[in-house]
């Protein structure tokens, strides 16, 4: 098998859950708890910083606009060449709304998605973001953090991470970064792609493209 079908099945399950939740009008608290649980099950060494990054990416994508596509392309190729161990989920929905996906660069290294297709999808996703105000995001994060605290996850350095996040927000800085333990344990390599672009343009390639032949490969989730 050219790709881990269980990983793809997990992605399809997440898609089904998020779609069903939206259709059923799941509450904000339930959606946040689901997103937090999903992250902690997949990445049990996550800290509050890592949870914050997941939720802020759901609002702001990667947190910046791409003005120089050529530079972004060079950096992407450089990152692809910087590691060989490919691990992690193929793609993961962000936050409680699932506005974006973190798409693993393994889809490029394995030739599953053409480089130009991926880069173009990434650039359109980033430059199409309509971010909320920092004030509105700060209020939403406070509500999210209250729910996280109530879940009694016993996250390491919780109070220090909370204070650091609060300081950044007070200075008008909403971008967050992975914790050092997350980086060391999971070595994340991904790009943020909008939900619409991913599900319409990239997901069909993940489900059907076989880089070793011209044949279409059907993946069954059972």
């Amino acid at each position: 098998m050219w790709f881990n079908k269980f990983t793809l099945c997990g992605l399809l399950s997440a898609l089904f859950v998020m779609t069903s939740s939206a259709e059923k009008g799941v509450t904000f608290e339930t959606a946040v708890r689901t997103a937090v649980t999903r992250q902690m099950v997949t990445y049990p060494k996550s800290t509050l910083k890592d949870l914050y990054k997941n939720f802020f990416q759901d609002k702001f994508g990667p947190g910046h606009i791409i003005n120089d596509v050529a530079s972004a392309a060079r950096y992407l190729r450089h990152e692809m060449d910087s590691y060989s161990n490919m691990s992690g989920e193929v793609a993961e929905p962000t936050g409680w709304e699932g506005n974006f996906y973190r798409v693993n660069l393994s889809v490029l290294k394995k030739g599953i998605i053409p480089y130009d297709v991926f880069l173009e999808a990434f650039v359109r996703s980033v430059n199409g973001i309509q971010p909320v105000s920092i004030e509105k995001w700060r209020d939403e994060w406070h509500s999210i953090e209250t729910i996280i605290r109530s879940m009694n996850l016993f996250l390491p350095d919780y109070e220090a991470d909370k204070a650091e996040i609060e300081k950044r927000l007070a200075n008008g800085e909403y971008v967050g970064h992975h914790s050092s333990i997350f980086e060391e344990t999971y070595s994340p390599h991904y790009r943020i792609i909008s939900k619409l672009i991913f599900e319409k343009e990239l997901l069909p390639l993940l489900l059907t493209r076989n880089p070793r032949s011209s044949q279409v490969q059907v993946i069954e989730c059972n």
Side-chain angles (χ1 to χ4, degrees):
M1 182 68 75
W2 64 274
F3 211 79
N4 188 324
K5 81 172 185 176
F6 296 105
T7 302
L8 281 173
C9 289
L11 170 60
L12 292 175
S13 296
L15 279 168
F16 174 77
V17 169
M18 295 193 76
T19 301
S20 298
S21 297
E23 291 175 348
K24 294 178 181 178
V26 170
T27 66
F28 168 75
E29 179 172 352
T30 298
V32 169
R33 286 177 175 273
T34 298
V36 171
T37 300
R38 182 172 62 239
Q39 166 121 359
M40 297 308 299
V41 168
T42 307
Y43 306 107
K45 290 187 178 293
S46 294
T47 68
L48 186 65
K49 285 184 179 180
D50 303 303
L51 290 172
Y52 174 86
K53 186 176 179 72
N54 193 358
F55 285 103
F56 112 74
Q57 285 180 329
D58 198 31
K59 290 295 183 185
F60 300 94
H64 58 82
I65 299 298
I66 296 176
N67 295 314
D68 186 346
V69 176
S71 177
R74 286 193 299 271
Y75 188 82
L76 177 58
R77 287 196 181 278
H78 174 74
E79 184 173 347
M80 288 172 57
D81 293 339
S82 70
Y83 72 101
S84 57
N85 181 30
M86 292 177 284
S87 61
E89 300 295 324
V90 178
E92 305 167 290
T94 57
W96 68 275
E97 292 181 293
N99 291 317
F100 295 89
Y101 284 87
R102 293 173 172 176
V103 183
N104 198 310
L105 296 190
S106 63
V107 300
L108 293 179
K109 292 178 73 71
K110 293 183 178 182
I112 299 164
I113 295 178
Y115 178 85
D116 290 343
V117 171
F118 187 93
L119 178 63
E120 198 263 347
F122 170 57
V123 171
R124 279 193 290 128
S125 296
V126 173
N127 291 347
I129 295 171
Q130 298 295 325
V132 300
S133 68
I134 187 68
E135 292 79 12
K136 185 174 181 180
W137 165 240
R138 183 169 57 237
D139 289 343
E140 183 172 319
W141 167 247
H142 289 163
S143 298
I144 292 172
E145 188 274 325
T146 298
I147 295 170
I148 294 173
R149 179 181 291 272
S150 74
M151 295 175 72
N152 297 317
L153 299 173
F154 304 104
L155 301 175
D157 301 317
Y158 190 99
E159 294 302 330
D161 286 352
K162 179 184 176 184
E164 181 179 327
I165 292 168
E166 287 297 326
K167 183 177 180 180
R168 285 179 175 273
L169 291 174
N171 292 331
E173 302 172 9
Y174 56 80
V175 175
H177 304 284
H178 281 303
S179 64
S180 58
I181 190 172
F182 190 99
E183 293 276 2
E184 294 166 4
T185 305
Y186 304 114
S187 185
H189 296 282
Y190 60 80
R191 288 296 183 274
I192 298 294
I193 307 292
S194 81
K195 171 183 171 66
L196 179 63
I197 292 174
F198 174 78
E199 294 181 2
K200 183 178 180 180
E201 302 176 23
L202 301 189
L203 182 58
L205 295 177
L206 292 177
L207 295 176
T208 62
R209 184 178 175 84
N210 185 335
R212 296 177 182 174
S213 74
S214 60
Q215 297 178 351
V216 171
Q217 187 163 4
V218 177
I219 299 174
E220 297 179 354
C221 296
N222 51 32

